[in-house]
Amino acid sequence: MLDPWSLAVLVEVGRLGSFSAAAEELSMTQPAVSRQIATLERRTGVRLFERLPRGVRPTDAGRAALEQADEVLRGMRLFETRMRAFATAEAGRVRVSAFPSAATSYLPDRFRSFAARHPDVELSLTVRSGEHDPCAAVLDGDADIALLTSWDTPGPPGTAGVVLTPLHEDELLVAPAVTHPLAEGRRVRSRDLAEDPWIDGTDPDCLGPIARLDAALGIGPPSGRLRLPDHADFAATRTMTRSRGRHISRRRLQRPVHDHPTLR
């Protein structure tokens, strides 16, 4: 089998028309270059260069060999360039899976920043509903990166084969009506909210699993808990808050999952 270095020697000899000049260009000795060409001629079974008093001249077979060798070497350089681009996130495609609020509020600025730094990388986004397992999407090859909250992060068996990377910690916010007793305070303890009615969106964008909320409150489930449909608009939520005199609680992005061979 012909090796790339032999082809590189062939191309330099053809370009410069001299074994000595090619040897100097390639930091080789003239006899070493001569042996490389002689080995190529022996392997191909044809004479590639006519030896002249001063330099060499390619034969018809040599001209065909030079054209083909140049094409092979350019293909190899292109191969290395494209693979290096994937390794440095300069080309290819990145598929992101995210829950709705992350897709609308967190990702747009990140996508713009990434696109500015890596203009040749294609970004795609899938907005998933609460019943889809984000880790499974990565493991099944349907996504390269999945953003998820601490509520929907599975246990160790469900995360084997992915890397969990903390991305952002966001505080819980309480929005009481101005007439609520807690409206005057700057900080609210979870146990202060245990007996109040709640208004929140649906998992995973808002409060998450009820059992975990109950545990955080420490006094069982809140009474008269209210739930809004997915993607309920702010106007509807605000109306309910004012009418009930209670509060809305929501939580944003907690952490992402990514398949680390693809993107860091």
Side-chain angles (χ1 to χ4, degrees), residues 24-230:
E24 183 177 354
E25 182 71 18
L26 297 170
S27 299
M28 299 173 65
T29 64
Q30 189 274 340
V33 170
S34 181
R35 286 194 299 271
Q36 286 277 3
I37 298 302
T39 299
L40 280 174
E41 291 178 329
R42 187 168 57 253
R43 288 183 176 178
T44 58
V46 295
R47 193 168 184 81
L48 299 174
F49 292 98
E50 295 179 14
R51 275 66 170 177
L52 305 174
R54 300 187 64 178
V56 296
R57 180 172 59 207
T59 63
D60 289 344
R63 281 189 287 272
L66 286 168
E67 182 180 342
Q68 191 68 45
D70 186 62
E71 184 177 335
V72 169
L73 293 173
R74 282 190 288 108
M76 295 184 68
R77 287 192 293 271
L78 177 61
F79 174 84
E80 292 176 347
T81 299
R82 294 187 68 182
M83 294 304 100
R84 191 179 305 113
F86 278 101
T88 56
E90 293 177 359
R93 181 184 182 193
V94 178
R95 300 162 300 167
V96 180
S97 169
F99 50 92
S101 65
T104 57
S105 62
Y106 184 84
L107 283 179
D109 287 343
R110 276 74 186 176
F111 269 38
R112 279 191 293 270
S113 175
F114 184 89
R117 289 182 287 115
H118 307 284
D120 295 324
V121 178
E122 177 187 354
L123 286 171
S124 65
L125 173 64
T126 299
V127 181
R128 66 178 185 272
S129 57
E131 65 270 15
H132 290 90
D133 182 353
C135 289
V138 173
L139 292 171
D140 293 341
D142 296 326
D144 301 306
I145 301 174
L147 274 66
L148 63 154
T149 69
S150 58
W151 293 126
D152 54 11
T153 303
T159 57
V162 298
V163 176
L164 295 175
T165 304
L167 179 65
H168 182 72
E169 293 289 338
D170 202 358
E171 62 182 341
L172 283 168
L173 302 178
V174 175
V178 293
T179 56
H180 193 279
L182 296 176
E184 298 298 325
R186 295 185 61 84
R187 298 183 63 85
V188 178
R189 298 170 299 179
S190 59
R191 64 173 177 267
D192 296 334
L193 309 173
E195 300 303 319
D196 277 322
W198 289 65
I199 304 171
D200 75 277
T202 54
D203 184 39
D205 270 351
C206 296
L207 294 177
I210 302 301
R212 297 192 193 181
L213 175 62
D214 295 345
L217 293 172
I219 317 180
S223 60
R225 183 183 178 88
L226 301 176
R227 296 187 67 81
L228 296 178
D230 277 330

